């Protein structure tokens, strides 16, 4: 089945300098990145300007339960954005239709790269939070173990992709 992949973007682009966008799920890794890239910086030019919430299959297939989960997660992300005065870019895709028989866990890095590439015409920097530290990159059989090397390779002229959080293990992120 070669059905079309639909993508919806709900964005407000009101910035004078290049955007600094953080992919933000509301999990441990993305909160750690938010702290490092926004809350710990005193320089306004180094701070995050937008949060991006990618809906590319992590909430499950389009069941009522999956829709409810997505809405609840997005509500929490929007609350963080509101508290920090950061606009939230919601990216919704049905690309999971292309991956029938392949789990989200096997493809989430590539799906998130695809979502970030939608923003490439905005001369932006996109930061993606990795769950893995550099010390453990050789372990495991998941594509996520090569995120620090793979993600930046997809940078374009209009979008620079960065990985964040690899210098710190997940247990250290929650200390």
């Amino acid at each position: 089945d070669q059905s079309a992949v639909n993508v919806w973007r709900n964005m407000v682009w009101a910035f004078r300098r290049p955007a600094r966008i953080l992919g933000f799920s509301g999990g441990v890794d993305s909160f750690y990145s938010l702290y490092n890239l926004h809350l710990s910086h005193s320089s306004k030019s180094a701070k995050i300007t937008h949060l991006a919430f990618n809906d590319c299959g992590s909430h499950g297939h389009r069941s009522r339960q999956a829709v409810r989960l997505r809405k609840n997660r997005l509500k929490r992300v929007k609350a963080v954005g509101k508290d920090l005065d950061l606009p939230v870019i919601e990216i919704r895709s049905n690309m999971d239709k292309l991956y029938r028989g392949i789990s989200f866990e096997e493809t989430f890095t590539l799906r998130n790269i695809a979502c970030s590439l939608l923003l490439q015409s905005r001369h932006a920097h996109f930061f993606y939070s990795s769950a893995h530290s550099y010390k453990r990159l050789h372990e495991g059989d998941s594509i996520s173990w090569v995120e620090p090397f793979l993600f930046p390779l997809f940078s374009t002229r209009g979008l620079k992709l960065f990985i964040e959080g690899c210098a710190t293990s997940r247990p250290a992120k929650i200390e």
Side-chain angles (χ1 to χ4, degrees), residues 28-109:
V28 168
D29 301 306
S30 60
F31 265 111
Y32 180 81
S33 295
L34 182 62
Y35 176 78
N36 278 348
L37 297 170
H38 189 73
L39 299 173
S40 68
H41 281 286
S42 59
S43 166
K44 188 170 180 143
S45 66
K47 290 183 179 241
I48 293 298
T49 61
H50 297 74
L51 300 176
F53 180 79
N54 297 342
D55 177 8
C56 55
S58 68
H59 319 296
H61 295 286
R62 304 284 178 218
S63 68
R64 286 183 184 177
Q65 181 181 2
V67 170
R68 191 170 37 252
L69 178 61
R70 179 189 62 79
K71 286 181 179 180
N72 287 338
R73 288 176 174 172
L74 179 58
K75 185 178 177 180
R76 290 193 305 255
V77 168
K78 284 183 175 181
V80 171
K82 184 177 179 183
D83 286 347
L84 298 175
D85 198 27
L86 294 172
V88 175
I89 302 166
E90 180 185 359
I91 300 173
R92 293 180 56 202
S93 170
N94 66 345
M95 80 172 77
D96 53 316
K97 286 184 176 185
L98 294 175
Y99 292 107
R100 296 267 186 225
I102 303 173
S103 73
F104 176 76
E105 289 75 19
E106 294 175 276
T107 59
F108 70 89
T109 299

Side-chain angles (χ1 to χ4, degrees), residues 135-153:
K135 291 179 182 178
R136 299 185 61 205
L137 290 180
H138 64 284
E139 299 174 7
D141 57 358
S142 166
I143 192 170
S144 66
W145 294 101
V146 296
E147 284 173 349
F149 306 109
L150 185 61
F151 216 87
L153 291 175

Side-chain angles (χ1 to χ4, degrees), residues 101-173:
I102 303 173
S103 73
F104 176 76
E105 289 75 19
E106 294 175 276
T107 59
F108 70 89
T109 299
L110 297 174
R111 293 178 190 217
N112 281 291
I113 288 171
C115 286
S116 67
L117 289 173
L118 292 171
L119 308 171
Q120 66 182 314
S121 66
R122 299 297 176 186
H123 301 290
H125 294 163
F126 188 93
F127 298 88
Y128 180 77
S129 303
S130 180
H132 306 294
S133 68
Y134 288 123
K135 291 179 182 178
R136 299 185 61 205
L137 290 180
H138 64 284
E139 299 174 7
D141 57 358
S142 166
I143 192 170
S144 66
W145 294 101
V146 296
E147 284 173 349
F149 306 109
L150 185 61
F151 216 87
L153 291 175
F154 283 87
S155 291
T156 68
R157 203 163 146 197
L159 179 72
K160 300 297 180 212
L161 301 175
F162 300 93
I163 205 83
E164 171 63 26
C166 293
T168 309
S169 69
R170 184 170 264 181
K173 290 176 183 178

